[in-house]
Amino acid sequence: MVANPKMNERENILGRIREALSVPAPVPGAHSGEPPHAVSECEAATHIPEWLPRVGSTFEERLALFRTNAAELKADFVLLDSPEELIAKLREIAAAESWKKVATHSNALTDGACDALDLPVLRTDNGYDPRDMETCDAGISACDALIAQTGSVLVTSQSAGGRALSVLPPHHVVLARREQLLADLPAAFALLKTKYAPGYPSLISFITGPSRTGDIERILVLGAHGPKKLTILCV
Amino acid sequence: MTPAASQFKKNAIALTADLRHRALIRTALKKYEVVRDDKVSRFQNWQSARQSAAEIKWDAVNHLDAHLIEFARNLEARGTQVHWASNAAQAREIIIGIIQERKAHSIIKSKVMTGEEIHLNEALEKAGFDVVESDLGEYIVQLRHEPPYHFVFPAMHLTRGEISDLFSKELGTASTDSPEELTMIARRVLRDKYIAADIGISGANFGIAETGMISITENEGNARLTCALPKVHIALMGIEKVLPKLEDLALFLPMLATAGAGQVMTGYNTLYGGPRQPGEADGPEAFHVVLLDNNRTQLLADPEQRDALHCIRCGACLNVCPIYKNIGGHAYGATYQGPIGAVITPHLRGLQQWKHLSFASSLCGACTQTCPVKINLHHHLLQSRRNAIAQKPVWWEKPLFQGLAFLFNHAGLFSLGMKLGRIGQVFYPLVKGTRLDPASAWTKSRELPKIAPQTFREWWQTRK
């Protein structure tokens, strides 16, 4: 008998894979009579931006695209001119929805904004009780990037106060800076690599609109398990 | 006929005649093609994107050993425990072992098709654990004790009325005809479960070899919560799911969303690279990734059909399949429905038991045309037919065709046959529909074509 059965299964599986791969498979397209294509790993990657949905080259075009995508996703996107305006907007939302308590994390953008709310604040930085966070009316977080191509918000467990803050409260408010607006998905993955590699956060998430489901008769309902509302405030 | 084949035939006959059922599928899928085409048209070049996706997957699958080793090494480097399971029993044993070691009891699950494949819920319940599905569709079918109807839209076959009745019966809630209210009922019930659960179990849509991460695509946020709140996160993943590089997702995430549900991007696309890291606010103490073979290496060993392992489980081939649209998801009796299910199930569970799925196809090729990773689906169905017959010939087929060849080669015999046939068909109504009917398999649902009063040859001769 083998001493470590776990290692044994690993070797068994890898052995079966190697045996199977000893017979080569035709390259993609070979079946359909298309000319066989030499596959190179890096070749494809350089072309991906040319095939994905088009994004304009100027900041204004990207902004317009992000705004259109956000509207289609039923996310609220507001562009503001100063940190004061951002605070005023946040206070306006808090009053309109009669927030009683919010959850957030420490960050240059979130600190000032949450202090100005005059509400009890749960900060996730040094751990927290999920039941406590469940009672919060909003989760207010920073982000790593906004992606014009898809209307997505890129967050990580480092940049956005952990894993639950952006999904547990019923309203997720993202605070972003204009320079965080990226053109497309390849740019977002490049940013992740330069910013974090090799010590990536344990969670990286592309949030595209509020939580949604179509599981009942394919009819769209917002707020299935995560936030019912997603608001992106950008200064 | 094998039990799976006769069950399939029975289901298919009953369901194709069920007009209410067919109307339900049509309603559920009618908007799909419109929204998908809209999102496809936003790509600058969808066909090149498909080719590129197929090439990346080809590389991943044809160097699977190297990518898996890199994937596991990078996961382990950041504190994740990687387990290898050759079959369903081993995978169940590993998962139950982790839960027992933790002395845990309650489990929250986000959608995991490999879990359906290994009958994980039954095993966990039998071991005495509390298991709750958190994806709304999965939660509904779990309450009904039935398998998912579609591997992307699990409760597609149910009306809001049926779901309301189900919730009233199982949860004691007031009946409603609003999908929003029904969703909020599930939200309220499941909130407590996330917070109370000891263990979160998820699947994985992709594994990234380069960085050692799994990627989960979902709309509801239920997987996000499943992987955030419980102390232990277990991910069950098929070995074929690895991609070489992180940036490959820049292509696969929007393609999966587009092909799967006609979205630009799915609501949450999340990468998990380990348990809670130092300095992080939350997350599980332990993260386990269970890699499952379960006969995937059998499919890998068939170079002709190896590209079926490129599948990203978007479900696009089901949504366009004329067979799926008429018989629905439960008729197949397999974990993976539709064309992709018909291709992979014989490899995963035995060709002779599941070959009937390859024959249940019009070979129209809609599946191949729509597949975002260019799997040659309808050709694989033909190849499976060939393989099944070569492995186990049907005894009467060869003599039948030899007999026909003899008949067609002898003009006198052929015209005699035509004359006899014309006499025979006069008496045919006497046996039609009875047990003596030699053409009963055909005439059950169709008319037998009439032999013309004059054959072409006879007409040609009179003309001269």
Side-chain angles (χ1 to χ4, degrees):
Chain A
M1 282 303 284
V2 177
N4 186 343
K6 192 176 148 189
M7 278 320 272
N8 193 19
E9 279 322 315
R10 178 183 191 270
E11 290 318 309
N12 285 346
I13 292 173
L14 290 172
R16 285 197 296 273
I17 291 171
R18 287 180 187 131
E19 199 190 323
L21 292 178
S22 62
V23 186
V27 293
H31 292 289
S32 49
E34 291 170 26
H37 212 274
V39 181
S40 98
E41 281 176 48
C42 49
E43 191 195 353
T46 55
H47 290 292
I48 288 173
E50 298 163 27
W51 300 333
L52 293 178
R54 192 181 297 282
V55 186
S57 52
T58 66
F59 176 77
E60 276 67 34
E61 282 173 290
R62 289 172 189 177
L63 192 67
L65 182 59
F66 188 87
R67 201 185 286 281
T68 313
N69 278 326
E72 199 178 276
L73 293 161
K74 303 190 193 305
D76 291 324
F77 173 67
V78 188
L79 187 70
L80 301 149
D81 286 327
S82 67
E84 293 71 41
E85 273 189 34
L86 181 132
I87 288 170
K89 183 71 196 173
L90 197 61
R91 290 178 68 104
E92 184 191 314
I93 300 169
E97 294 185 0
S98 9
W99 291 353
K100 292 186 181 61
K101 187 175 177 182
V102 297
T104 189
H105 63 106
S106 287
N107 169 278
L109 272 175
T110 52
D111 281 342
C114 292
D115 288 345
L117 281 177
D118 291 331
L119 287 172
V121 176
L122 177 148
R123 284 197 162 78
T124 61
D125 307 270
N126 301 311
Y128 64 93
D129 177 3
R131 291 197 184 274
D132 205 7
M133 187 188 280
E134 227 277 309
T135 63
C136 293
D137 299 297
I140 301 169
S141 82
C143 67
D144 290 270
L146 305 177
I147 299 147
Q149 187 170 52
T150 57
S152 308
V153 180
L154 175 61
V155 299
T156 65
S157 42
Q158 278 183 26
S159 70
R163 295 189 181 201
L165 178 60
S166 49
V167 277
L168 199 55
H171 189 164
H172 180 205
V173 182
V174 178
L175 308 184
R177 287 175 281 108
R178 277 162 211 253
E179 57 270 29
Q180 288 184 308
L181 180 66
L182 296 180
D184 56 11
L185 287 167
F189 283 101
L191 171 83
L192 285 170
K193 279 196 164 170
T194 51
K195 190 169 174 185
Y196 294 114
Y200 290 100
S202 71
L203 168 138
I204 297 168
S205 192
F206 291 85
I207 299 174
T208 310
S211 159
R212 59 192 56 226
T213 186
D215 273 347
I216 300 173
E217 293 187 17
R218 311 290 312 126
I219 293 164
L220 177 71
V221 177
L222 299 182
H225 292 286
K228 296 171 191 181
K229 290 184 89 171
L230 174 67
T231 302
I232 302 148
L233 304 180
C234 185
V235 285
Chain B
M1 218 185 287
T2 62
S6 58
Q7 186 60 46
F8 175 75
K9 203 170 167 189
K10 218 173 104 193
N11 293 345
I13 289 168
L15 288 166
T16 37
D18 185 342
L19 294 180
R20 181 185 160 273
H21 179 253
R22 285 168 62 168
L24 260 171
I25 312 179
R26 258 203 310 280
T27 320
L29 291 177
K30 75 180 171 202
K31 268 191 290 184
Y32 164 78
E33 285 185 46
V34 178
V35 289
R36 182 207 55 191
D37 288 349
D38 169 47
K39 302 307 178 296
V40 164
S41 71
R42 295 188 196 185
F43 275 72
Q44 294 177 76
N45 193 334
W46 174 253
Q47 294 307 334
S48 291
R50 285 178 77 215
Q51 178 66 21
S52 188
E55 287 172 10
I56 293 170
K57 275 283 183 179
W58 187 93
D59 170 60
V61 166
N62 284 279
H63 302 96
L64 187 58
D65 50 341
H67 293 312
L68 274 177
I69 291 169
E70 190 190 1
F71 174 66
R73 190 186 55 226
N74 285 327
L75 272 170
E76 282 163 348
R78 305 202 314 133
T80 302
Q81 282 168 269
V82 179
H83 309 262
W84 302 72
S86 281
N87 54 46
Q90 284 178 6
R92 292 191 297 259
E93 204 178 299
I94 290 165
I95 293 170
I96 289 173
I98 296 166
I99 302 168
Q100 283 171 341
E101 200 181 305
R102 282 266 161 183
K103 299 191 169 50
H105 181 68
S106 57
I107 301 160
I108 188 98
K109 268 178 86 208
S110 69
K111 191 171 170 54
V112 42
M113 284 311 294
T114 39
E116 299 292 331
E117 186 183 321
I118 67 165
H119 302 289
L120 184 57
N121 282 3
E122 291 90 322
L124 292 173
E125 278 162 17
K126 219 172 130 199
F129 305 126
D130 248 3
V131 195
V132 183
E133 292 286 349
S134 60
D135 173 86
L136 178 59
E138 292 280 347
Y139 179 62
I140 292 167
V141 295
Q142 188 192 22
L143 286 180
R144 284 172 62 93
H145 307 286
E146 61 182 27
Y149 184 83
H150 182 297
F151 56 72
V152 177
F153 316 127
M156 198 184 91
H157 59 306
L158 299 172
T159 61
R160 61 187 87 181
E162 285 166 312
I163 296 166
S164 168
D165 291 348
L166 176 73
F167 282 2
S168 303
K169 186 170 143 245
E170 299 291 332
L171 309 171
T173 51
S175 73
T176 168
D177 65 353
S178 147
E180 181 160 10
E181 276 177 45
L182 289 168
T183 305
M184 291 310 134
I185 291 170
R187 179 186 168 104
R188 275 198 302 279
V189 172
L190 288 166
R191 273 282 155 144
D192 274 345
K193 306 273 184 193
Y194 291 114
I195 296 175
D198 308 308
I199 309 272
I201 297 181
S202 78
N205 293 85
F206 304 100
I208 307 299
E210 179 191 25
T211 56
M213 295 172 184
I214 62 159
S215 174
I216 300 178
T217 294
E218 49 141 355
N219 271 310
E220 297 179 2
N222 62 310
R224 284 284 310 268
L225 288 165
T226 298
C227 307
L229 301 175
K231 286 205 167 70
V232 180
H233 172 196
I234 304 171
L236 177 63
M237 166 180 154
I239 50 171
E240 83 282 20
K241 294 274 169 208
V242 283
L243 287 175
K245 297 202 177 305
L246 184 63
E247 57 265 30
D248 293 337
L249 290 178
L251 185 65
F252 282 97
L253 298 181
M255 287 187 83
L256 174 58
T258 298
Q263 291 177 279
V264 173
M265 275 280 265
T266 316
Y268 298 91
N269 286 285
T270 311
L271 289 145
Y272 297 94
R276 179 182 185 172
Q277 300 291 302
E280 289 184 343
D282 54 8
E285 292 163 8
F287 179 34
H288 298 264
V289 172
V290 182
L291 290 167
L292 178 71
D293 177 352
N294 208 24
N295 288 331
R296 283 163 173 77
T297 44
Q298 290 271 331
L299 176 50
L300 193 71
D302 180 354
E304 201 174 43
Q305 298 192 27
R306 188 177 292 162
D307 69 352
L309 289 170
H310 296 184
C311 178
I312 56 173
R313 301 283 188 270
C314 65
C317 59
L318 280 63
N319 301 345
V320 299
C321 178
I323 307 299
Y324 185 90
K325 284 194 215 177
N326 280 301
I327 65 174
H330 283 155
Y332 292 84
T335 306
Y336 304 104
Q337 312 87 8
I340 186 64
V343 169
I344 64 174
T345 308
H347 291 272
L348 301 181
R349 296 172 70 177
L351 177 58
Q352 292 306 325
Q353 289 78 51
W354 294 92
K355 64 182 175 189
H356 57 280
L357 296 182
S358 324
F359 291 89
S361 166
S362 61
L363 300 176
C364 69
C367 48
T368 307
Q369 196 184 9
T370 199
C371 177
V373 291
K374 289 189 137 178
I375 301 171
N376 207 7
L377 288 156
H378 71 295
H379 284 104
H380 292 340
L381 293 176
L382 264 177
Q383 291 153 0
S384 289
R385 294 182 188 184
R386 179 202 62 201
N387 296 347
I389 300 295
Q391 202 181 66
K392 199 178 166 203
V394 179
W395 66 269
W396 48 264
E397 277 192 350
K398 206 159 186 189
L400 174 73
F401 281 99
Q402 278 168 343
L404 286 172
F406 185 80
L407 187 68
F408 294 144
N409 270 315
H410 295 79
L413 208 57
F414 182 78
S415 73
L416 179 68
M418 283 293 138
K419 288 198 182 92
L420 288 175
R422 235 172 278 149
I423 298 164
Q425 74 181 2
V426 177
F427 300 101
Y428 178 67
L430 295 177
V431 293
K432 189 182 170 191
T434 71
R435 281 197 302 157
L436 294 170
D437 186 350
S440 62
W442 178 270
T443 55
K444 232 183 274 174
S445 54
R446 286 159 288 217
E447 279 297 315
L448 201 62
K450 289 252 184 316
I451 299 171
Q454 189 182 37
T455 65
F456 177 77
R457 278 156 47 88
E458 286 161 353
W459 170 78
W460 188 257
Q461 274 157 6
T462 58
R463 188 174 160 273
K464 273 202 257 176

